[in-house]
């Protein structure tokens, strides 16, 4: 069913999953296209962002953001076109970054909306390298990781939008960079295209031994966005005063309870204590001063123009394909930043 001017397709949270989301978790519904009023604008979704944090929004649990209600539109950032506007600062034909969620049409009063202008170059990049994932990598690495020239930086999910950016910035800052990814194709991309010094396949039977061999001088900065077995392999390699920015734990997002196997809590806390590790979690929207985003946008735009940072997108066609694409992302079956071309 394509996007039309008469119908608003929306994907809602139909049930709260236990473990991995299933075919009944997200459902497609339709309604009439909403109409804007005074001081409002009508937005048509063009690009939809898919991100791991969306799994957490399905849970009715205390977190940094309100969970999606049952029957509510699934949350997301989108790039949309302004179709009608009675709002100062926004004109018909402008493209905007907006929290519209998984739907074709949205009426906005301008809250949390960023105007990208009438003809932005690579508009979907506002959802990736120039948006939340890129900013997460920049702020987390530079402000919490504080990499120094010659240090060893390790990042998991190294072919994804955050990990790939972390590694490339670390290389710009003069670090030795080791990535961790799933599969030979992703590892080759990380080394040959992104310029990492090495990349280890976490699916290998001797993964921990390969990681140790790739980090002969230990690990000074570990950018954590995965958790699970990758974290357990990293812990013994952390140097004294290592830094660990924590922005995600995707390996554990679908768990209905505690991970199976031994309790690694003592190992984690003991390592933090003995190695004097700085481990800090952060949420990109409220963990740093607002002016840092302007610094990021300026530097990242320059690095992209100079070819110092490269970026890979995985484009999914159609809103109806978004649920399966999210499930694939949560299982590591994506390659690059996942965006959905909606209209």
């Amino acid at each position: 069913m394509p996007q039309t001017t008469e119908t608003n397709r929306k994907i809602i949270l139909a049930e709260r999953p236990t473990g991995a989301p299933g075919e009944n978790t997200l459902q497609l519904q339709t309604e009439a296209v909403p109409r804007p009023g005074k001081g409002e604008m009508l937005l048509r979704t063009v690009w939809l962002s898919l991100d791991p944090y969306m799994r957490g929004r399905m849970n009715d649990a205390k977190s940094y953001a309100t969970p999606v209600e049952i029957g509510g539109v699934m949350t997301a950032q989108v790039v949309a076109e302004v179709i009608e506007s009675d709002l100062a600062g926004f004109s018909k034909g402008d493209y905007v970054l907006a929290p519209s969620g998984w739907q074709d049409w949205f009426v906005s009063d301008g809250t949390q909306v960023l105007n990208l202008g009438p003809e932005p170059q690579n508009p979907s990049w506002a959802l990736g390298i120039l948006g939340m994932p890129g900013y997460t990598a920049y702020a987390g690495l530079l402000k919490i990781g504080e990499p120094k020239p010659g240090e060893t930086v390790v990042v998991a999910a190294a072919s994804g939008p955050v990990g790939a950016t972390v590694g490339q910035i670390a290389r710009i800052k003069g670090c030795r960079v080791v990535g961790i990814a799933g599969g030979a194709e992703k590892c080759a991309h990380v080394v040959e295209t992104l310029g990492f010094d090495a990349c280890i396949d976490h699916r290998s039977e001797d993964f921990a031994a390969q990681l140790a061999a790739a980090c002969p001088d230990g690990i000074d900065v570990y950018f954590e966005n995965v958790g699970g077995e990758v974290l357990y392999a990293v812990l013994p390699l952390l140097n004294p005063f290592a830094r660990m920015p924590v922005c995600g734990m995707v390996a554990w997002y679908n768990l209905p309870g505690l991970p199976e196997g031994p309790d690694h809590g003592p190992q984690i806390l003991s390592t933090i204590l003995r190695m004097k590790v700085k481990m800090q979690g952060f949420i990109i929207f409220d963990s740093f001063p607002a002016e840092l985003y302007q610094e990021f946008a300026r530097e990242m735009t320059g690095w992209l123009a100079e070819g110092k940072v490269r970026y890979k997108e995985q484009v999914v066609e159609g809103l109806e394909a978004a649920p399966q694409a999210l499930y694939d992302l949560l299982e590591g079956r994506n390659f690059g930043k996942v965006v959905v071309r909606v209209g």
Side-chain angles (χ1 to χ4, degrees), residues 21 49 55 57-58 70 93 99 116 134 139 151 156 160 162 192 198 200 205 211 233 240 259 289 313 337:
S49 178
R55 175 60 186 85
R57 298 290 180 88
M58 298 176 184
I70 297 297
L116 303 175
E151 289 190 325
V162 175
E192 296 169 9
I200 313 302
E205 292 184 3
L211 181 62
E313 276 187 333
K337 167 60 186 170

Side-chain angles (χ1 to χ4, degrees), residues 22-45:
E23 60 181 14
N24 296 321
T25 301
L26 297 172
Q27 294 185 3
L28 178 67
Q29 293 185 352
T30 60
E31 62 184 11
V33 174
R35 305 307 309 169
K38 186 175 178 60
E40 295 180 329
M41 58 183 170
L42 178 63
L43 306 180
R44 180 183 69 87
T45 301

